[in-house]
Each structure stands twice: as C-alpha cells, then as structure tokens.
C-alpha cells in the first residue's frame, strides 16, 4: 500500500526575534550595602580596622576616638605589632571600645 500524497507545509509560519537591539533599562535599579561588623563589634566591645596605605596609629585613633590615643590600639594589638611605627596595609587591627 503506497501513499503518494506528500505532506503539505504551505501554511507553516516561523519567526525569530532577537532582544539584542533592545538595551536593558537599569535606571530604576537601587542598591544598598549594610554591614553587621560594627554591630557585632559593639556587642563584644571591640571593632576592627583594616590598615590602608598612609595610615598610622595616631590617625586611626583620632578617627575612632576623636583624639590621638594610639597607645590603646597598639596595646590591644601587641600580638601582631612590635613597633607602633610599623603597621602595614592590609593588617586588621582590633580597636578597643571608646572610654567616655
């Protein structure tokens, strides 16, 4: 039994659409970053600070305490500091809580 009739695809349609021409709109995107580091640090009475190039203990102390009480920071970090003038960028220093 032979069927000589061929399938008819004359009414089949296709389309391809690309989003490449359409630029995404990010104008309403908002971002917010929060950290719990200060909260956790306050809970145990101690913060940390990562030393940046140009920092010294006096300036770090002034930032956290409002005065150049560098010795408190030096004493809290004697496990990694042997000389208050030799702090290195990238070091993470413990910052004792303020004594008001």
């Amino acid at each position: 039994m032979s069927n000589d009739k061929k399938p008819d695809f004359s009414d089949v349609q296709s389309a391809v659409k690309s989003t490449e021409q359409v630029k995404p709109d990010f104008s309403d995107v908002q971002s917010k970053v929060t950290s719990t580091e200060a909260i956790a640090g306050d809970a145990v009475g101690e913060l940390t600070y990562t030393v940046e190039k140009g920092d010294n203990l006096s300036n770090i102390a002034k930032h956290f305490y409002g005065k150049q009480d560098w010795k408190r920071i030096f004493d809290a970090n004697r496990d990694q500091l042997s000389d208050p003038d030799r702090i290195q960028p990238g070091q993470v220093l413990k910052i004792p809580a303020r004594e008001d």
Side-chain angles (χ1 to χ4, degrees):
M1 191 153 137
S2 167
N3 189 356
D4 292 324
K5 192 171 185 181
K6 294 185 179 185
D8 181 12
F9 295 109
S10 62
D11 63 342
V12 174
Q13 297 177 5
S14 71
V16 176
K17 293 183 180 181
S18 173
T19 60
E20 184 177 6
Q21 300 295 329
V22 179
K23 302 275 185 201
D25 180 12
F26 296 111
S27 63
D28 63 345
V29 174
Q30 296 180 358
S31 174
K32 181 178 182 182
V33 177
T34 58
S35 172
T36 59
E37 182 179 2
I39 295 169
D42 288 343
V44 296
E46 192 172 88
L47 299 173
T48 59
Y49 177 78
T50 303
V51 177
E52 296 178 3
K53 185 176 180 177
D55 280 342
N56 61 50
L57 291 181
S58 292
N59 290 341
I60 296 169
K62 184 149 178 83
H63 171 78
F64 284 98
Y65 305 137
K67 58 184 178 179
Q68 295 179 341
D69 191 6
W70 62 270
K71 189 152 176 26
R72 290 182 57 213
I73 297 173
F74 177 69
D75 289 340
N77 291 280
R78 285 198 178 257
D79 59 328
Q80 61 177 324
L81 298 177
S82 59
D83 183 336
D85 295 323
R86 293 187 180 242
I87 62 174
Q88 299 295 320
Q91 279 184 306
V92 179
L93 301 177
K94 295 173 273 197
I95 308 296
R98 288 177 67 147
E99 295 176 358
D100 292 326

